[in-house]
Amino acid sequence: MVQLDQLYQEIILDHYKRPHGRGLRDADDSGDQVAEAHHVNPTCGDEVTVRVATDGTVLHDISYDGMGCSISQASASVLHELLRGRNAGEAFEVHEAFVELMSGRGQVTPDEDVLGDGVAFAGVARYPARVKCALLPWMAFKDAAARAGVGVSPEVKA
Amino acid sequence: MTSIAIPAGMPQYDDVPRFDVVRVRADFPILSREINGHPLVYLDSANTSHKPRQVLDVLDEHYARHNANVSRSVHTLGTEATEAYEGARAKVAAFINAPSPDEVVFTKNSTEAINIVAYAFSNASLRPDGDPRFRLGPGDEVVISEMEHHSNIVPWQLLCERTGATLRWFPVTDQGRLDESGLDDLVTERTKIVSLVHVSNILGTVNATSRITARVREVGALLLLDCSQSVPHLPMDVVDLDADYIVFTGHKMLGPTGIGVLWGRGELLAAMPPVFGGGSMIETVTMARSTFAAPPARFEAGTPPIAEAVALGAAVDYLNGVGMRAIQWHEKELTAYALDAFATVPDLRIFGPAVPVGRGGTISFALGDVHPHDVGQVLDSLGVQVRVGHHCAKPVCSRFGVPAMTRASFYLYTTTEEIDALVGGLEQVRKVFD
């Protein structure tokens, strides 16, 4: 079970059992652009919707809803925790670091200063079948942000 | 285990043919593997089966000794390869009691077999001289069920889009059985083809088809049965089953991947237009037009999967050697054992028939609200290989209100000890996600 503990770190199980900021919310500030993206993992049927509210500089809220495995749902909770209230530019740097960590097949050492609780996902990168689960909310976030006018996403056409 | 008393004078359980599962397991090299430090417990045979040494040897022997293209060479190797390929066709035909080997079309898999039928229908619909049995247009109907694998849904959706025909389907009951209550309204004079799964890949249900067949005959439609999960597991007799087409795939019945079968009544195959054009399927070709070979060649354009077909023949020999009735009974006992064992697991919900009657050895379930991915991951860490996800049958998941299920499926090499390992593993899952 040692290997399994690396996958199911306490931090991940904690975010899964007690998700932070779950539920789709309307913008507090009426000046914000609000947009969302719904992503599915066709191999397992997991779904997540991520909604971004932003004034074009600061991501005032990142809310989400979905159903899926512990990894995908915990990942959405960590995403919310890490990126909400951040400057868009910083948020995309964190996004990039997380994608790099997940694509690293377990060879990338995560920077806790950048990724916070996201470092717990380092073990997931060793399970190729589960990397998609961890990335699902992050990819949906990128699309939602692009639709709200910040950043670019290959899936959103101008 | 549930004990059932059979009245004296009736055939007793002792009369059932049996085999030695330990000896069978010794034929499968992969079964001696370890996974994550544990003995392999393979409970995913509905996904793909393992291959015995006898099949692997034939595959190797074919390439090492008899490799050549088929149906076109006069040399010795070509003759040997052709004889082996056609010999495999004859073996498969006998295995399903097909009246003639010419009724067995080799395909890539079940999916391709269904698509060949669907495209033959649309090709016939485009030709004014197409056989009226295959011609579809607005007002005509195709009937499937909510229990189908995507491979028996999507080709018909696409066919209906191409032709303007309407797709209808049988619902599924809460017990995971086909709901036949609306049969007479569903299958009518407008119906051209009914395409149903024989044994569900997700619920394990064995569909009783006789009432449906009778109705299909009454209205003059055709019947296709997806036998991907039945031909590997029970004795198949296409004459007795009285279908018009059946499809199945080699890799689920101890054969290699890349080889499947479309069986059709000879007279129907002969009336169907070709689907893929190319070498081997023609009678004569001019620059202006071509005429086509008789079935099965008409539907086997290009160089076929020769070694795979020959190895499928070896798989059929192996299954015959063990005996399909014995395999069916072995799986029935495993299913009864597993259903009893699952009943002891708290919060375990079975999708599909809860009794070992009219169901095969494929059992899908939920463990509390733990996501199947997480169930499968913990089980894998203990060497237990199960399938998790929607099993290419999303409508079934939707029917039972879940995005995914965990599925354990058995075969001739499965043991009750492996089911015990699964049940023990589920206890671990509960500990991680309590």
Side-chain angles (χ1 to χ4, degrees), chain B residues 193-210:
Chain B
I193 186 165
V194 176
S195 188
L196 294 176
V197 71
H198 189 207
V199 174
S200 164
N201 76 307
I202 181 164
L203 300 170
T205 317
V206 180
N207 287 317
T209 54
S210 58

PDB file of all heavy atoms in Angstrom, chain B residues 193-210:
ATOM      1  N   ILE B 193     -34.812  -3.343 -39.338  1.00  0.00           N
ATOM      2  CA  ILE B 193     -33.853  -4.203 -38.636  1.00  0.00           C
ATOM      3  C   ILE B 193     -33.917  -3.948 -37.132  1.00  0.00           C
ATOM      4  O   ILE B 193     -34.098  -2.806 -36.697  1.00  0.00           O
ATOM      5  CB  ILE B 193     -32.402  -4.033 -39.174  1.00  0.00           C
ATOM      6  CG1 ILE B 193     -31.459  -5.050 -38.517  1.00  0.00           C
ATOM      7  CG2 ILE B 193     -31.898  -2.599 -39.000  1.00  0.00           C
ATOM      8  CD1 ILE B 193     -30.123  -5.226 -39.216  1.00  0.00           C
ATOM      9  N   VAL B 194     -33.795  -5.026 -36.372  1.00  0.00           N
ATOM     10  CA  VAL B 194     -33.687  -4.958 -34.915  1.00  0.00           C
ATOM     11  C   VAL B 194     -32.286  -5.457 -34.584  1.00  0.00           C
ATOM     12  O   VAL B 194     -31.888  -6.535 -35.030  1.00  0.00           O
ATOM     13  CB  VAL B 194     -34.752  -5.850 -34.233  1.00  0.00           C
ATOM     14  CG1 VAL B 194     -34.576  -5.849 -32.725  1.00  0.00           C
ATOM     15  CG2 VAL B 194     -36.161  -5.379 -34.611  1.00  0.00           C
ATOM     16  N   SER B 195     -31.530  -4.652 -33.840  1.00  0.00           N
ATOM     17  CA  SER B 195     -30.148  -5.029 -33.515  1.00  0.00           C
ATOM     18  C   SER B 195     -29.967  -4.972 -32.003  1.00  0.00           C
ATOM     19  O   SER B 195     -30.009  -3.901 -31.400  1.00  0.00           O
ATOM     20  CB  SER B 195     -29.165  -4.094 -34.217  1.00  0.00           C
ATOM     21  OG  SER B 195     -27.854  -4.585 -34.044  1.00  0.00           O
ATOM     22  N   LEU B 196     -29.788  -6.139 -31.397  1.00  0.00           N
ATOM     23  CA  LEU B 196     -29.770  -6.229 -29.939  1.00  0.00           C
ATOM     24  C   LEU B 196     -28.544  -6.970 -29.435  1.00  0.00           C
ATOM     25  O   LEU B 196     -28.014  -7.850 -30.109  1.00  0.00           O
ATOM     26  CB  LEU B 196     -31.003  -7.005 -29.449  1.00  0.00           C
ATOM     27  CG  LEU B 196     -32.367  -6.371 -29.683  1.00  0.00           C
ATOM     28  CD1 LEU B 196     -33.447  -7.331 -29.230  1.00  0.00           C
ATOM     29  CD2 LEU B 196     -32.495  -5.046 -28.945  1.00  0.00           C
ATOM     30  N   VAL B 197     -28.172  -6.622 -28.213  1.00  0.00           N
ATOM     31  CA  VAL B 197     -27.084  -7.344 -27.567  1.00  0.00           C
ATOM     32  C   VAL B 197     -27.622  -8.671 -27.034  1.00  0.00           C
ATOM     33  O   VAL B 197     -28.735  -8.735 -26.507  1.00  0.00           O
ATOM     34  CB  VAL B 197     -26.462  -6.472 -26.447  1.00  0.00           C
ATOM     35  CG1 VAL B 197     -27.388  -6.320 -25.242  1.00  0.00           C
ATOM     36  CG2 VAL B 197     -25.118  -7.025 -26.004  1.00  0.00           C
ATOM     37  N   HIS B 198     -26.867  -9.746 -27.227  1.00  0.00           N
ATOM     38  CA  HIS B 198     -27.295 -11.052 -26.714  1.00  0.00           C
ATOM     39  C   HIS B 198     -27.012 -11.145 -25.219  1.00  0.00           C
ATOM     40  O   HIS B 198     -27.888 -11.486 -24.432  1.00  0.00           O
ATOM     41  CB  HIS B 198     -26.584 -12.172 -27.495  1.00  0.00           C
ATOM     42  CG  HIS B 198     -27.115 -13.538 -27.197  1.00  0.00           C
ATOM     43  ND1 HIS B 198     -26.362 -14.668 -27.326  1.00  0.00           N
ATOM     44  CD2 HIS B 198     -28.332 -13.943 -26.770  1.00  0.00           C
ATOM     45  CE1 HIS B 198     -27.107 -15.729 -26.990  1.00  0.00           C
ATOM     46  NE2 HIS B 198     -28.305 -15.309 -26.644  1.00  0.00           N
ATOM     47  N   VAL B 199     -25.763 -10.822 -24.833  1.00  0.00           N
ATOM     48  CA  VAL B 199     -25.401 -10.761 -23.413  1.00  0.00           C
ATOM     49  C   VAL B 199     -24.789  -9.384 -23.166  1.00  0.00           C
ATOM     50  O   VAL B 199     -23.835  -8.999 -23.855  1.00  0.00           O
ATOM     51  CB  VAL B 199     -24.401 -11.868 -23.029  1.00  0.00           C
ATOM     52  CG1 VAL B 199     -23.941 -11.691 -21.585  1.00  0.00           C
ATOM     53  CG2 VAL B 199     -25.011 -13.253 -23.222  1.00  0.00           C
ATOM     54  N   SER B 200     -25.339  -8.656 -22.201  1.00  0.00           N
ATOM     55  CA  SER B 200     -24.876  -7.288 -21.950  1.00  0.00           C
ATOM     56  C   SER B 200     -23.459  -7.267 -21.406  1.00  0.00           C
ATOM     57  O   SER B 200     -23.125  -8.009 -20.475  1.00  0.00           O
ATOM     58  CB  SER B 200     -25.815  -6.599 -20.955  1.00  0.00           C
ATOM     59  OG  SER B 200     -25.187  -5.448 -20.424  1.00  0.00           O
ATOM     60  N   ASN B 201     -22.627  -6.380 -21.966  1.00  0.00           N
ATOM     61  CA  ASN B 201     -21.234  -6.277 -21.516  1.00  0.00           C
ATOM     62  C   ASN B 201     -21.121  -5.549 -20.189  1.00  0.00           C
ATOM     63  O   ASN B 201     -20.050  -5.494 -19.599  1.00  0.00           O
ATOM     64  CB  ASN B 201     -20.395  -5.539 -22.561  1.00  0.00           C
ATOM     65  CG  ASN B 201     -20.638  -4.042 -22.549  1.00  0.00           C
ATOM     66  OD1 ASN B 201     -21.783  -3.592 -22.638  1.00  0.00           O
ATOM     67  ND2 ASN B 201     -19.589  -3.259 -22.407  1.00  0.00           N
ATOM     68  N   ILE B 202     -22.209  -4.964 -19.721  1.00  0.00           N
ATOM     69  CA  ILE B 202     -22.124  -4.159 -18.500  1.00  0.00           C
ATOM     70  C   ILE B 202     -23.032  -4.719 -17.406  1.00  0.00           C
ATOM     71  O   ILE B 202     -22.639  -4.787 -16.244  1.00  0.00           O
ATOM     72  CB  ILE B 202     -22.391  -2.662 -18.824  1.00  0.00           C
ATOM     73  CG1 ILE B 202     -22.291  -1.757 -17.611  1.00  0.00           C
ATOM     74  CG2 ILE B 202     -23.706  -2.458 -19.523  1.00  0.00           C
ATOM     75  CD1 ILE B 202     -22.158  -0.289 -17.953  1.00  0.00           C
ATOM     76  N   LEU B 203     -24.225  -5.176 -17.773  1.00  0.00           N
ATOM     77  CA  LEU B 203     -25.155  -5.698 -16.765  1.00  0.00           C
ATOM     78  C   LEU B 203     -25.050  -7.211 -16.626  1.00  0.00           C
ATOM     79  O   LEU B 203     -25.539  -7.782 -15.645  1.00  0.00           O
ATOM     80  CB  LEU B 203     -26.593  -5.316 -17.134  1.00  0.00           C
ATOM     81  CG  LEU B 203     -26.855  -3.805 -17.221  1.00  0.00           C
ATOM     82  CD1 LEU B 203     -28.224  -3.533 -17.823  1.00  0.00           C
ATOM     83  CD2 LEU B 203     -26.740  -3.173 -15.835  1.00  0.00           C
ATOM     84  N   GLY B 204     -24.457  -7.858 -17.617  1.00  0.00           N
ATOM     85  CA  GLY B 204     -24.338  -9.313 -17.580  1.00  0.00           C
ATOM     86  C   GLY B 204     -25.597 -10.049 -18.024  1.00  0.00           C
ATOM     87  O   GLY B 204     -25.598 -11.276 -18.129  1.00  0.00           O
ATOM     88  N   THR B 205     -26.651  -9.300 -18.278  1.00  0.00           N
ATOM     89  CA  THR B 205     -27.940  -9.899 -18.644  1.00  0.00           C
ATOM     90  C   THR B 205     -27.838 -10.739 -19.910  1.00  0.00           C
ATOM     91  O   THR B 205     -27.287 -10.294 -20.912  1.00  0.00           O
ATOM     92  CB  THR B 205     -28.970  -8.771 -18.910  1.00  0.00           C
ATOM     93  OG1 THR B 205     -28.826  -7.795 -17.898  1.00  0.00           O
ATOM     94  CG2 THR B 205     -30.383  -9.324 -18.963  1.00  0.00           C
ATOM     95  N   VAL B 206     -28.387 -11.962 -19.847  1.00  0.00           N
ATOM     96  CA  VAL B 206     -28.536 -12.768 -21.060  1.00  0.00           C
ATOM     97  C   VAL B 206     -29.958 -12.523 -21.562  1.00  0.00           C
ATOM     98  O   VAL B 206     -30.932 -12.825 -20.863  1.00  0.00           O
ATOM     99  CB  VAL B 206     -28.333 -14.276 -20.779  1.00  0.00           C
ATOM    100  CG1 VAL B 206     -28.508 -15.080 -22.061  1.00  0.00           C
ATOM    101  CG2 VAL B 206     -26.955 -14.527 -20.183  1.00  0.00           C
ATOM    102  N   ASN B 207     -30.066 -11.937 -22.728  1.00  0.00           N
ATOM    103  CA  ASN B 207     -31.394 -11.624 -23.245  1.00  0.00           C
ATOM    104  C   ASN B 207     -32.043 -12.847 -23.885  1.00  0.00           C
ATOM    105  O   ASN B 207     -31.451 -13.493 -24.741  1.00  0.00           O
ATOM    106  CB  ASN B 207     -31.313 -10.476 -24.251  1.00  0.00           C
ATOM    107  CG  ASN B 207     -31.046  -9.152 -23.574  1.00  0.00           C
ATOM    108  OD1 ASN B 207     -31.647  -8.852 -22.533  1.00  0.00           O
ATOM    109  ND2 ASN B 207     -30.130  -8.363 -24.112  1.00  0.00           N
ATOM    110  N   ALA B 208     -33.269 -13.121 -23.441  1.00  0.00           N
ATOM    111  CA  ALA B 208     -34.065 -14.179 -24.063  1.00  0.00           C
ATOM    112  C   ALA B 208     -34.657 -13.575 -25.334  1.00  0.00           C
ATOM    113  O   ALA B 208     -35.356 -12.567 -25.282  1.00  0.00           O
ATOM    114  CB  ALA B 208     -35.166 -14.622 -23.115  1.00  0.00           C
ATOM    115  N   THR B 209     -34.340 -14.151 -26.473  1.00  0.00           N
ATOM    116  CA  THR B 209     -34.663 -13.453 -27.724  1.00  0.00           C
ATOM    117  C   THR B 209     -35.878 -14.031 -28.453  1.00  0.00           C
ATOM    118  O   THR B 209     -36.308 -13.466 -29.444  1.00  0.00           O
ATOM    119  CB  THR B 209     -33.451 -13.521 -28.677  1.00  0.00           C
ATOM    120  OG1 THR B 209     -33.069 -14.889 -28.832  1.00  0.00           O
ATOM    121  CG2 THR B 209     -32.282 -12.729 -28.125  1.00  0.00           C
ATOM    122  N   SER B 210     -36.445 -15.150 -27.972  1.00  0.00           N
ATOM    123  CA  SER B 210     -37.438 -15.848 -28.798  1.00  0.00           C
ATOM    124  C   SER B 210     -38.695 -15.014 -29.078  1.00  0.00           C
ATOM    125  O   SER B 210     -39.197 -14.997 -30.195  1.00  0.00           O
ATOM    126  CB  SER B 210     -37.811 -17.190 -28.177  1.00  0.00           C
ATOM    127  OG  SER B 210     -38.316 -16.994 -26.886  1.00  0.00           O
TER     128      SER B 210
END
